[in-house]
């Protein structure tokens, strides 16, 4: 079945760039999403990319999509302590509008 | 900005009891969803709901689960006889005609 995989942890220093990676298996994806989950909170939509795009930039966030390798990444420039959270990659299945989530990557930003 | 609200934020119940988790989706949204996240595991799809009926459900969503939109604003998830393994964070989400989904802050269900 469809699957989305992410590395579990990432630690960066404040001011550095963070790159969170995601791979997916569904070849019929239409959109791919990044959600942020802060402790005790819900899933906050950060950004998304349509499957026919290679890159999308939104302020400090850059999403890169390699459709051939089914690889998605989220780059956060000038990472701040407030960026510490769990980041989920999610694939939207074209037929069902059902999200398949990755395990989430816990980003820790060191001051 | 409009948001999805869920109540309660934390529910503790005994095994075998019925629970109802409540959600108020964003007012002009047409599609409604429940997802759950068992501690340390992935966020999993449970069910989607459109036009007053279930449009899709996962294998997890067995006869113990039901959803309802009783009054045009609330969207509820009922678990009839809770089991220990139902302990999880339950997220409600809604969307307009299509994506993206907007999630609530979740209800943490603890079954003892």
């Amino acid at each position: 079945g469809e699957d989305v995989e992410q590395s579990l942890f990432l630690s960066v220093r404040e001011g550095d760039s963070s790159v969170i990676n995601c791979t997916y298996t569904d070849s019929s994806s239409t959109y791919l999403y990044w959600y942020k989950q802060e402790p005790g909170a819900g899933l906050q939509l950060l950004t998304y990319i349509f499957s026919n795009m290679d890159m999308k930039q939104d302020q400090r966030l850059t999403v890169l999509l390699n459709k051939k390798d089914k690889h998605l990444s989220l780059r956060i420039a000038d990472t701040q302590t407030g960026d510490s959270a769990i980041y989920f990659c999610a694939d939207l299945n074209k037929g069902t509008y059902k999200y398949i989530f990755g395990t989430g990557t816990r980003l820790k930003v060191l001051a | 900005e409009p948001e999805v609200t869920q109540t309660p934020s934390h529910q503790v119940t005994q095994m075998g009891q019925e629970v109802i988790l409540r959600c108020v989706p964003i007012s002009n949204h047409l599609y409604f969803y429940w997802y759950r996240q068992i501690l340390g595991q992935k966020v999993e799809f449970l069910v989607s709901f459109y036009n007053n009926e279930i449009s899709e459900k996962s294998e997890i969503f067995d006869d113990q689960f039901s959803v309802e939109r009783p009054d045009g604003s609330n969207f509820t998830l009922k678990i009839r006889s809770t089991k220990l393994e139902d302990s999880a964070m339950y997220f409600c989400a809604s969307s307009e005609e299509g994506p993206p989904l907007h999630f609530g802050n979740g209800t943490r269900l603890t079954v003892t």
Side-chain angles (χ1 to χ4, degrees):
Chain A
E2 300 136 4
D3 197 16
V4 176
E5 294 293 336
Q6 299 176 240
S7 53
L8 292 179
F9 299 102
L10 177 65
S11 180
V12 299
R13 293 202 178 277
E14 192 175 17
D16 288 350
S17 291
S18 308
V19 179
I20 302 169
N21 294 302
C22 169
T23 57
Y24 61 97
T25 58
D26 183 6
S27 55
S28 66
S29 297
T30 50
Y31 290 92
L32 293 135
Y33 298 83
W34 286 103
Y35 282 84
K36 177 183 181 182
Q37 185 182 34
E38 296 186 55
L43 298 165
Q44 175 197 352
L45 177 65
L46 277 182
T47 187
Y48 60 94
I49 189 167
F50 190 50
S51 58
N52 68 354
M53 296 169 67
D54 298 323
M55 186 181 90
K56 181 179 179 182
Q57 185 143 8
D58 185 0
Q59 299 180 328
R60 291 191 298 124
L61 306 178
T62 304
V63 180
L64 294 176
L65 174 61
N66 181 329
K67 197 171 180 182
K68 175 175 166 289
D69 295 339
K70 296 193 176 71
H71 182 267
L72 182 74
S73 67
L74 174 69
R75 179 176 180 271
I76 305 172
D78 187 25
T79 315
Q80 302 298 306
T81 53
D83 294 325
S84 292
I86 301 175
Y87 290 81
F88 289 92
C89 167
D91 160 32
L92 180 71
N93 180 276
K94 182 180 179 180
T96 65
Y97 282 150
K98 186 171 71 179
Y99 276 21
I100 306 296
F101 281 89
T103 48
T105 298
R106 185 179 293 276
L107 174 64
K108 184 173 181 179
V109 182
L110 307 171
Chain B
E1 185 176 326
E3 56 183 29
V4 176
T5 55
Q6 291 185 243
T7 54
S9 56
H10 190 190
Q11 173 98 44
V12 181
T13 190
Q14 288 191 325
M15 196 166 54
Q17 296 296 305
E18 174 183 287
V19 294
I20 297 177
L21 310 182
R22 301 179 193 281
C23 170
V24 179
I26 295 172
S27 62
N28 62 334
H29 284 187
L30 303 175
Y31 294 80
F32 313 110
Y33 308 82
W34 283 100
Y35 282 76
R36 80 171 183 191
Q37 184 183 26
I38 294 172
L39 188 64
Q41 297 187 23
K42 293 187 179 187
V43 178
E44 301 171 292
F45 169 79
L46 290 179
V47 65
S48 58
F49 191 87
Y50 170 71
N51 200 26
N52 283 321
E53 60 184 27
I54 290 173
S55 38
E56 188 172 355
K57 59 184 180 181
S58 72
E59 295 163 355
I60 304 165
F61 195 88
D62 61 21
D63 293 343
Q64 294 283 79
F65 292 89
S66 62
V67 289
E68 199 177 34
R69 189 154 159 79
D71 56 14
S73 63
N74 289 286
F75 179 52
T76 62
L77 174 70
K78 182 192 290 187
I79 309 175
R80 285 189 188 79
S81 177
T82 49
K83 303 187 284 286
L84 294 176
E85 54 265 37
D86 294 327
S87 294
M89 182 75 94
Y90 288 80
F91 292 106
C92 173
S94 69
S95 68
E96 291 183 81
E97 190 148 351
L101 271 59
H102 297 264
F103 286 85
N105 282 344
T107 293
R108 182 170 297 283
L109 175 66
T110 302
V111 182
T112 61

